[in-house]
Amino acid sequence: MKWTSVAQKLCGGVIVAGVGAALLWPLDAAEAQSVPTIIAPTPSQGGSSGSAAPAVPGQPVLGDIEIQGIQRIEPATVKSYMGLNAGDRLSARRVNEALKTLFGTGLFADVTMEMRGDTLVVRVVENPIINRIAFEGNKRIDDEELDAEVQLRPRVVYTRTRVQSDVQRLLEVYRRSGRFAAQVEPKVIQLEQNRVDLVFEIDEGPKTGVEKISFVGNRFFSDSALRGELATKESRWYRFLSGGDTYDPDRLTFDRELLRRFYLSSGFADFNVVSAVAELTDDRENFFITFTVEEGERYTFSGFDIVSKIPDIDPEPMREIVEIEAGGWYDADIVEDTIVSLTNAVGDQGYAFVDIRPIVDRDRDARTIHVTFEIQEGPRVYVERIDIRGNTRTLDKVVRREFKLVEGDAFNSSLMRRSRSRIRDLQFFSDVQVSNVPGSGPDKTIVQVDVEEQSTGEMTIGAGFSTDDGALAELAIRERNLLGRGQDLSLSTRLAQNGQNVDLSFTEPYFLERELSAGFDVFHAIDDQQDESSFDSKRTGLALRTGYELTDEWRQSLFYRIAREEITNVSSSASLFIRSQEGEEVISAVGHTLTFDRRNSRIDPTDGYFVTMQNEVAGIGGTVNYLKTSFSGGNYYAFNEDVLLITEGEVGQLVGLGQDTRILDRYFLGGRSMRGFASGGLGPRDTSTEDALGGEHLAVASVEVQFPLGLPEEFGLKGAVFSDIGYLSSIPESSASIRDTGSIRSSLGVGVLWASPFGPIRMDFATAVTKEDFDKTETFQFNFGTRF
């Protein structure tokens, strides 16, 4: 199709004019000789479709419009696009505008116009309609994801421009997945009735890796050290389980920020990333990435001051929460953490509107930085409203009830951060972003919550092995966000060499629309304790529970359980004291748990501590009477991002109320609870049968340091060194064959933790340091589990 912009004299007095089409009408010889050249107007020359033009002597008058060639489109529709009507005087400008309008609709592949007498004949060739869109050759990205990217759809008009636009979108999808060598070729299959099938033939090509990452301008840190800070990695054979070694432009942008943070936390206050260039090789299979940096000088802290512009705020006591030390390397992260700590400290004194400004005094000659934290009363801002976006399934109230702010409250950034953590801990969303934007007035702000839903329904098939339980398999069905209401319903069954259990559980986190959780558990469990104590046990019962938060850190839960418990399959060679307890009992118990939790995360803590107290009383009905009390706690301290210190401990006491305690209710120690010893391997024992009898008094503690092994991060390997110390004693039975020294046992060991793609794997090698001669030890422990 040719685009012309001049009128031409053809065939003895016929004028052809138009844009991508032809307009023909007859003129006599004199008129033909006097017709000037007609230039099709451009948009800048004005004119719009359907606008009336001044009458010019000699212009023909339009009598009628005849549409030819249409198959699907109504003639009236074509005429409405043209903007010409019977009785109008025709001019080259109006005809050209009508042609442009028809082509602009995208409905026609070709248009011609011809005057026959006073009738304008318009011949059109319609663009075909898409019957079906298909993708061929795609293996790494499924049809559904590709179909979501293209804009063309079945029963939509086919145009080459829109097809090429969709080709670019598909290529961008593959580039985002690291396949820059992908090729997409559209193919059209002609069908009857002016329909076509559109097929995108795709050659996905290999993943585009990163051959080399280089740095220019770095003097203090080596290329290897800087590469370790990046999210993008060089392609290596062992990175087949991760995607960090494929090129991603968004990841490269993030790498610039990671470099900036690293240098600013290492004293280089003037650091700058000049450029980050990615060059694609000729075969389109790899990238060479080059970062050009300016390190600048390295600075140390010379000191800090805190100045308060609020009369009632004394800055002196706040100096204790500032971690800046004179002579230490400048660290931007410490400055940011200090601002947060000071904001929280001032907020705790009742000042919701506060602004902490760090004033940096840089001495370039001495290469020192002095920071003054200025506490100012910020503008009074109130929460106008809270907008929640992206929750297509989860009800608004499920998100709102986790907020520590409500509409009308004084805006508090600390409470907003706390609210964000609470929403993330729900684990209903893959991403949670909480921000505030200006409201309808200078004293109002709108809190915006952007969430991205993730699947909360799980059907889990698990398999694994542990030293304590042997080989095991698990099948579980769970919905953590039932009907979008935040309710948790699960049914699970677990089969292991040393036991089986089935559990049906339901939890309503906000019972009666109050901050009160309520739920129940129905369970049946069989435990094989033949190796430890020569018997099996069965438990079948129901538990009711409720819980509530006293404060952000304090939480209390109450529970009641009733169960039928049976000691069965007792070996004929078992201890006399175990054989005497064979049979069935009914336990009816009520209890509570009180927890103080200041961990930074309940799921994967790296900082903070928790303390828990639990009491349980059995004897409210049933046949068993006892009082059981325990205290447990843990502390987490990160020396840096890679080294974590974990200390945990528990003490407990069991007291029979009017009767001796049963072996099923006693504490056992060993295995995972005391490494270096077998399960039930320490504590009171009947030495004549080697059966563990459990104990009524328990104390155990563990200290562990986890650290990287110096291998690439993609391996997911960490090392651990640990020491366990424990004590288990006191039983009502007495005999010459019973050994119960009440001595303290301890062990030392090392471990390897692997976050494998098949599930977490842990191997521990431990040796008992202090033990009794009747204890059972175990040097190696292995735990592996995976879910599909």
Side-chain angles (χ1 to χ4, degrees):
M1 184 185 307
K2 295 183 179 179
W3 288 64
T4 61
S5 59
V6 297
Q8 298 175 331
K9 180 179 178 182
L10 299 173
C11 301
V14 177
I15 295 298
V16 181
V19 180
L23 169 64
L24 307 171
W25 71 72
L27 297 176
D28 59 30
E31 290 174 324
Q33 292 176 358
S34 64
V35 172
T37 299
I38 303 172
I39 306 298
T42 63
S44 62
Q45 291 173 296
S48 61
S49 179
S51 60
V56 178
Q59 285 183 338
V61 176
L62 181 60
D64 193 12
I65 301 176
E66 179 182 339
I67 309 298
Q68 297 180 356
I70 55 175
Q71 298 180 16
R72 304 179 310 273
I73 305 172
E74 294 293 329
T77 303
V78 180
K79 294 177 182 179
S80 68
Y81 286 130
M82 294 175 59
L84 295 175
N85 299 294
D88 290 350
R89 288 188 176 274
L90 290 180
S91 67
R93 188 188 69 175
R94 296 193 65 186
V95 171
N96 283 339
E97 288 176 351
L99 287 167
K100 288 180 179 180
T101 302
L102 289 178
F103 273 103
T105 64
L107 299 173
F108 308 107
D110 194 17
V111 180
T112 62
M113 294 183 180
E114 179 182 1
M115 288 296 298
R116 292 181 180 174
D118 62 351
T119 299
L120 178 60
V121 179
V122 182
R123 297 189 187 93
V124 299
V125 177
E126 294 181 359
N127 276 322
I129 292 293
I130 297 176
N131 176 64
R132 183 175 65 95
I133 297 177
F135 304 93
E136 294 183 357
N138 55 309
K139 298 178 180 178
R140 304 296 179 178
I141 301 179
D142 56 32
D143 287 4
E144 289 75 14
E145 185 175 348
L146 295 178
D147 188 61
E149 289 292 331
V150 299
Q151 292 188 344
L152 285 172
R153 289 288 181 267
R155 297 182 297 279
V156 171
V157 176
Y158 168 91
T159 66
R160 291 185 178 181
T161 302
R162 298 178 70 179
V163 169
Q164 290 304 317
S165 178
D166 280 345
V167 167
Q168 293 303 315
R169 289 187 177 89
L170 294 175
L171 289 174
E172 183 60 30
V173 171
Y174 277 97
R175 287 167 183 165
R176 289 200 302 265
S177 66
R179 296 180 182 274
F180 281 76
Q183 296 180 351
V184 178
E185 184 176 356
K187 295 292 181 66
V188 176
I189 302 174
Q190 298 288 342
L191 303 175
E192 59 183 5
Q193 298 178 349
N194 201 24
R195 296 176 303 133
V196 296
D197 282 345
L198 178 59
V199 180
F200 292 99
E201 293 186 352
I202 301 171
D203 179 5
E204 294 181 321
K207 275 199 170 184
T208 310
V210 179
E211 180 70 22
K212 182 70 174 178
I213 301 176
S214 303
F215 298 87
V216 177
N218 53 313
R219 296 175 290 107
F220 191 85
F221 294 106
S222 66
D223 284 15
S224 176
L226 295 181
R227 279 193 289 265
E229 299 298 322
L230 303 179
T232 302
K233 305 297 182 182
E234 294 180 346
S235 297
R236 296 292 184 270
W237 66 268
Y238 51 79
R239 292 196 170 110
F240 67 96
L241 295 174
S242 70
D245 60 342
T246 58
Y247 175 73
D248 184 340
D250 293 333
R251 189 187 298 127
L252 188 63
T253 301
F254 181 54
D255 285 335
R256 295 175 65 117
E257 178 63 16
L258 290 177
L259 282 176
R260 191 187 70 85
R261 293 178 187 176
F262 173 68
Y263 269 95
L264 290 180
S265 65
S266 303
F268 294 89
D270 299 327
F271 175 77
N272 179 43
V273 179
V274 178
S275 65
V277 179
E279 298 176 280
L280 186 61
T281 58
D282 293 338
D283 58 9
R284 305 181 68 86
E285 292 186 0
N286 287 287
F287 273 93
F288 286 85
I289 299 177
T290 303
F291 291 91
T292 302
V293 301
E294 292 178 352
E295 289 183 332
E297 300 295 339
R298 197 178 191 190
Y299 292 81
T300 60
F301 283 117
S302 61
F304 72 92
D305 286 317
I306 303 177
V307 178
S308 175
K309 300 295 184 180
I310 304 176
D312 296 335
I313 297 296
D314 182 10
E316 196 60 32
M318 298 184 184
R319 298 183 66 90
E320 297 180 359
I321 65 177
V322 181
E323 299 181 358
I324 293 176
E325 296 182 2
W329 294 115
Y330 170 78
D331 189 338
D333 290 341
I334 293 180
V335 175
E336 291 296 326
D337 292 344
T338 301
I339 293 174
V340 174
S341 299
L342 291 175
T343 301
N344 294 338
V346 176
D348 292 342
Q349 298 185 39
Y351 289 86
F353 309 101
V354 64
D355 183 19
I356 310 293
R357 297 184 178 179
I359 301 174
V360 177
D361 183 12
R362 185 177 309 179
D363 187 337
R364 298 186 182 277
D365 295 332
R367 286 181 284 186
T368 60
I369 290 178
H370 185 278
V371 183
T372 300
F373 297 96
E374 189 174 84
I375 304 174
Q376 299 181 1
E377 189 167 7
R380 295 185 175 272
V381 180
Y382 298 88
V383 178
E384 180 177 4
R385 69 175 187 269
I386 299 175
D387 292 340
I388 302 171
R389 304 181 299 188
N391 54 321
T392 55
R393 179 169 175 266
T394 304
L395 301 181
D396 269 17
K397 69 176 184 179
V398 174
V399 180
R400 288 183 182 276
R401 66 195 185 191
E402 300 299 327
F403 253 87
K404 310 305 289 184
L405 290 168
V406 297
E407 283 88 346
D409 281 358
F411 177 75
N412 187 301
S413 58
S414 177
L415 292 179
M416 188 174 74
R417 287 191 298 271
R418 175 65 176 162
S419 300
R420 179 182 59 191
S421 297
R422 288 168 60 93
I423 297 171
R424 286 177 174 172
D425 285 345
L426 291 174
Q427 300 186 67
F428 297 164
F429 310 105
S430 60
D431 185 46
V432 177
Q433 298 296 330
V434 181
S435 59
N436 61 295
V437 298
S440 60
D443 61 341
K444 296 178 181 179
T445 188
I446 298 173
V447 177
Q448 291 184 344
V449 184
D450 291 289
V451 298
E452 185 175 336
E453 297 266 13
Q454 67 178 5
S455 175
T456 54
E458 303 171 2
M459 181 173 180
T460 305
I461 301 175
F465 177 85
S466 74
T467 309
D468 290 350
D469 300 326
L472 57 91
E474 179 183 9
L475 173 63
I477 300 174
R478 182 184 183 190
E479 174 53 65
R480 294 183 287 106
N481 187 14
L482 186 65
L483 301 176
R485 299 176 178 273
Q487 299 166 335
D488 192 329
L489 176 66
S490 67
L491 174 64
S492 64
T493 179
R494 185 171 181 268
L495 305 175
Q497 285 180 290
N498 293 341
Q500 304 88 42
N501 66 67
V502 179
D503 183 23
L504 173 65
S505 175
F506 175 79
T507 302
E508 166 55 68
Y510 281 79
F511 185 59
L512 300 177
E513 300 300 326
R514 299 178 180 273
E515 293 189 5
L516 178 72
S517 66
F520 65 84
D521 299 282
V522 180
F523 56 88
H524 174 71
I526 301 174
D527 292 321
D528 181 351
Q529 295 178 262
Q530 295 290 339
D531 292 341
E532 297 89 351
S533 304
S534 302
F535 71 90
D536 295 337
S537 66
K538 295 181 180 179
R539 290 183 173 92
T540 303
L542 168 70
L544 303 176
R545 47 188 164 74
T546 183
Y548 52 90
E549 288 188 352
L550 301 171
T551 66
D552 285 345
E553 291 86 15
W554 287 98
R555 180 174 179 81
Q556 185 171 34
S557 62
L558 307 173
F559 62 87
Y560 168 78
R561 68 185 179 97
I562 182 169
R564 184 181 66 184
E565 300 184 347
E566 181 181 5
I567 295 177
T568 184
N569 199 23
V570 178
S571 172
S572 59
S573 61
S575 170
L576 173 65
F577 305 102
I578 295 176
R579 294 202 304 270
S580 67
Q581 296 187 26
E582 185 174 10
E584 181 180 296
E585 302 280 0
V586 176
I587 181 169
S588 176
V590 64
H592 83 106
T593 302
L594 183 63
T595 302
F596 181 73
D597 193 343
R598 297 201 67 176
R599 292 174 293 180
N600 62 346
S601 171
R602 296 179 182 177
I603 302 170
D604 187 19
T606 58
D607 184 62
Y609 62 92
F610 75 95
V611 179
T612 297
M613 178 184 73
Q614 185 177 78
N615 301 103
E616 183 181 30
V617 178
I620 307 173
T623 60
V624 180
N625 304 296
Y626 65 77
L627 170 64
K628 198 171 188 178
T629 302
S630 63
F631 293 87
S632 61
N635 183 74
Y636 304 85
Y637 178 79
F639 294 101
N640 53 45
E641 293 183 356
D642 299 319
V643 181
L644 178 65
L645 171 65
I646 304 172
T647 55
E648 296 177 331
E650 180 184 4
V651 295
Q653 183 177 24
L654 173 67
V655 178
L657 301 178
Q659 59 183 223
D660 290 342
T661 59
R662 300 183 308 155
I663 191 170
L664 284 180
D665 302 320
R666 296 173 190 168
Y667 298 102
F668 282 82
L669 198 55
R672 279 179 295 221
S673 61
M674 185 79 178
R675 290 161 291 191
F677 292 84
S679 179
L682 61 97
R685 183 179 304 277
D686 188 335
T687 56
S688 65
T689 61
E690 299 296 320
D691 289 328
L693 302 177
E696 296 177 341
H697 297 164
L698 166 77
V700 62
S702 173
V703 178
E704 178 171 304
V705 177
Q706 296 180 359
F707 52 87
L709 294 176
L711 297 172
E713 187 177 346
E714 294 83 352
F715 280 11
L717 286 169
K718 292 193 296 184
V721 294
F722 57 84
S723 176
D724 296 342
I725 184 170
Y727 157 87
L728 182 66
S729 182
S730 184
I731 55 174
E733 295 88 358
S734 61
S735 169
S737 62
I738 293 179
R739 299 288 303 276
D740 179 15
T741 62
S743 61
I744 295 176
R745 278 78 152 184
S746 63
S747 64
L748 290 172
V750 297
V752 177
L753 296 80
W754 182 23
S756 79
F758 315 106
I761 295 176
R762 175 158 185 157
M763 294 177 288
D764 289 322
F765 301 85
T767 181
V769 178
T770 56
K771 62 183 181 67
E772 297 294 337
D773 57 3
F774 56 85
D775 291 339
K776 293 185 177 181
T777 61
E778 186 176 70
T779 303
F780 175 70
Q781 278 200 352
F782 179 81
N783 292 284
F784 162 66
T786 186
R787 292 179 173 182
F788 308 96

